[in-house]
Amino acid sequence: MSVTTFAPGRVEVLGNHTDYNDGLVLSAAIHLGVTTHAVKIPEAELRVSSRTNQRNVRVTLSGLHRLETDGWANYPIGVVDVLQQAGFQLGGMELEISSDLPVGAGLSSSAALEVSTAMATKAIFDLAIDPMQLARLCQKAENEFVGVQCGLLDHVSSVFGKADSLILIDFKTLTVETVPLPEHLDLLLFNSGVPHELVGGEYNERRQQCALAAKLLNVSTLRELTPEQVRIADLNDLIRRRALHITEENERVVQGVAALRSGQIERFGELMFASHESSKINFENSTRYLDTLVELAKGLPGVFGARLTGGGFGGSVVCLIQPEHAPEIIETVSKRYHELTGATCSPILTEPSQGARVI
Ligand code: ADP
Ligand code: MG
């Protein structure tokens, strides 16, 4: 018995670092992702190979453990481990992974790899597991087995993505709503070519600063606060700016949903630029590369908004554009970016796409 699954990468369109603060995010699955071909085998083993890096590993199901040299394999091994820990009965399996999603570009190849593994395991062993539980178990694998403290945004977006729509995720209630993107719009991503390093300390440091702000203000998470309450609170400048970013991002998501639903695309674009500015000034998770990309996109014909997407500290920006202008936007931004920074960016023109599926 065999099955093939595809799990897409994701782009966060509004709502930055809000997921682990019980907040709101507007995101989309993109058309690129990770494909996993899974075959049942009689041996009680997990065998994983990746065409991306030409590596393969083999571990016994009863002795799953983290690998040091083949760290990439900890993502699929971790998923199988958390599924077993959750009580699901699995047998031997061989996974062959291929991908058209850039790695470390902030488009969540790690979540795509986990979700496609989980979907394949679910399909091949007929597991009774609902989509939100699947997303949460994948996050658990990344948090506890791989050891990266990512939020749930990546996995939920990869699982719940909808063609032609953004999805609105509420991380307090763990509910997902669909917000149609007007037909004449596309998402243009620019990978800054400077990989993010979420395993580095900055992401965890931001999480701790958000938790500290909530603690100092006597709330369980920053979701409970408005920007106004943060502004007047007795906090030091750094912690106030971190808390302002999160609370304002939540508001921007609410305003962004209203703007999209009433067809006010320019307004939505302004919210994207404001989000980037807040990342730059208040959350300090941008880089001069990402700032340059956003500045270059700003003001070009056909660009409504642009901002960094995902964790930050490198990775990609997302622009909301009119597709007929894509060729000139790509040409102008790529050329000027290289002139200004010496780095090379890679464009990806995409549109909101369907989430993980058996193919
Ligand atoms: P991002 O999720 O933004 O792409 P991460 O650092 O979180 O970046 O995850 C990237 C890691 O996921 C890679 O370094 C690798 O270990 C693993 N990975 C992703 N896609 C593949 C693939 N196709 N084959 C092997 N490993 C992969
Ligand atoms: Mg990742």
Side-chain angles (χ1 to χ4, degrees):
M1 150 136 205
S2 73
V3 70
T4 304
T5 58
F6 172 82
R10 65 94 188 94
V11 57
E12 163 210 298
V13 181
L14 212 51
N16 184 250
H17 281 252
T18 48
D19 58 345
Y20 57 83
N21 288 297
D22 273 3
L24 299 170
V25 180
L26 266 176
S27 69
I30 65 173
H31 71 289
L32 305 175
V34 172
T35 301
T36 298
H37 181 64
V39 184
K40 258 189 194 172
I41 54 172
E43 299 84 358
E45 282 186 353
L46 175 62
R47 299 175 190 164
V48 195
S49 62
S50 170
R51 286 202 214 164
T52 309
N53 57 15
Q54 307 292 327
R55 302 283 304 170
N56 61 80
V57 301
R58 179 188 278 222
V59 280
T60 57
L61 281 178
S62 56
L64 297 182
H65 59 277
R66 291 191 74 228
L67 303 181
E68 294 306 326
T69 38
D70 279 293
W72 65 275
N74 290 328
Y75 298 87
I77 297 173
V79 167
V80 170
D81 189 52
V82 296
L83 285 169
Q84 289 198 139
Q85 302 280 342
F88 293 107
Q89 289 299 314
L90 311 180
M93 176 166 70
E94 191 168 291
L95 305 177
E96 189 185 67
I97 287 152
S98 54
S99 174
D100 54 10
L101 191 59
V103 162
L107 305 178
S108 239
S109 68
S110 57
L113 175 53
E114 290 152 350
V115 171
S116 72
T117 300
M119 289 274 292
T121 313
K122 172 186 152 121
I124 215 165
F125 296 110
D126 201 18
L127 309 181
I129 176 167
D130 72 52
M132 188 56 85
Q133 188 188 8
L134 185 134
R136 294 182 80 172
L137 288 171
C138 287
Q139 182 204 17
K140 189 168 191 245
E142 188 152 346
N143 289 170
E144 294 176 13
F145 197 92
V146 181
V148 176
Q149 292 309 306
C150 59
L152 187 55
L153 162 68
D154 305 350
H155 309 89
V156 172
S157 306
S158 182
V159 170
F160 288 89
K162 290 273 176 298
D164 307 323
S165 287
L166 301 186
I167 56 169
L168 168 64
I169 313 166
D170 184 330
F171 287 93
K172 186 172 171 187
T173 55
L174 279 189
T175 48
V176 181
E177 264 180 68
T178 301
V179 184
L181 194 64
E183 245 170 49
H184 56 285
L185 298 175
D186 272 354
L187 300 170
L188 175 58
L189 318 177
F190 285 100
N191 179 355
S192 66
V194 184
H196 70 83
E197 259 306 347
L198 288 191
V199 193
E202 292 89 351
Y203 181 88
N204 289 347
E205 186 185 73
R206 292 302 181 280
R207 285 189 75 135
Q208 284 159 10
Q209 290 165 344
C210 291
L212 175 64
K215 188 165 172 238
L216 291 171
L217 297 173
N218 284 318
V219 287
S220 53
T221 66
L222 290 175
R223 176 64 183 279
E224 310 307 319
L225 298 172
T226 63
E228 200 40 50
Q229 286 171 308
V230 173
R231 260 182 220 108
I232 60 173
D234 181 23
L235 291 172
N236 75 38
D237 174 61
L238 186 138
I239 297 297
R240 183 194 316 283
R241 285 186 288 121
R242 302 299 189 249
L244 267 182
H245 178 69
I246 303 301
T247 51
E248 288 181 352
E249 282 291 278
N250 284 333
E251 285 204 339
R252 275 189 280 271
V253 172
V254 172
Q255 291 163 2
V257 170
L260 281 182
R261 288 192 166 143
S262 58
Q264 294 175 279
I265 311 306
E266 282 83 6
R267 171 71 187 134
F268 189 83
E270 284 166 15
L271 293 165
M272 290 177 74
F273 285 125
S275 169
H276 185 80
E277 198 59 19
S278 174
S279 274
K280 184 176 161 183
I281 306 295
N282 283 341
F283 214 61
E284 296 179 282
N285 63 332
S286 187
T287 63
R288 73 181 176 91
Y289 298 93
L290 298 169
D291 294 344
T292 302
L293 287 168
V294 170
E295 281 308 316
L296 289 173
K298 201 180 271 178
L300 289 183
V303 174
F304 289 99
R307 62 188 284 279
L308 72 78
T309 183
F313 310 108
S316 300
V317 303
V318 53
C319 311
L320 183 66
I321 67 152
Q322 282 171 326
E324 58 271 27
H325 288 280
E328 74 213 46
I329 299 169
I330 290 172
E331 199 191 317
T332 310
V333 170
S334 304
K335 185 164 164 282
R336 291 286 293 138
Y337 181 70
H338 186 66
E339 285 167 5
L340 289 169
T341 65
T344 303
C345 64
S346 349
I348 296 174
L349 184 61
T350 190
E351 54 192 342
S353 309
Q354 194 197 329
R357 55 203 183 258
V358 173
I359 54 175

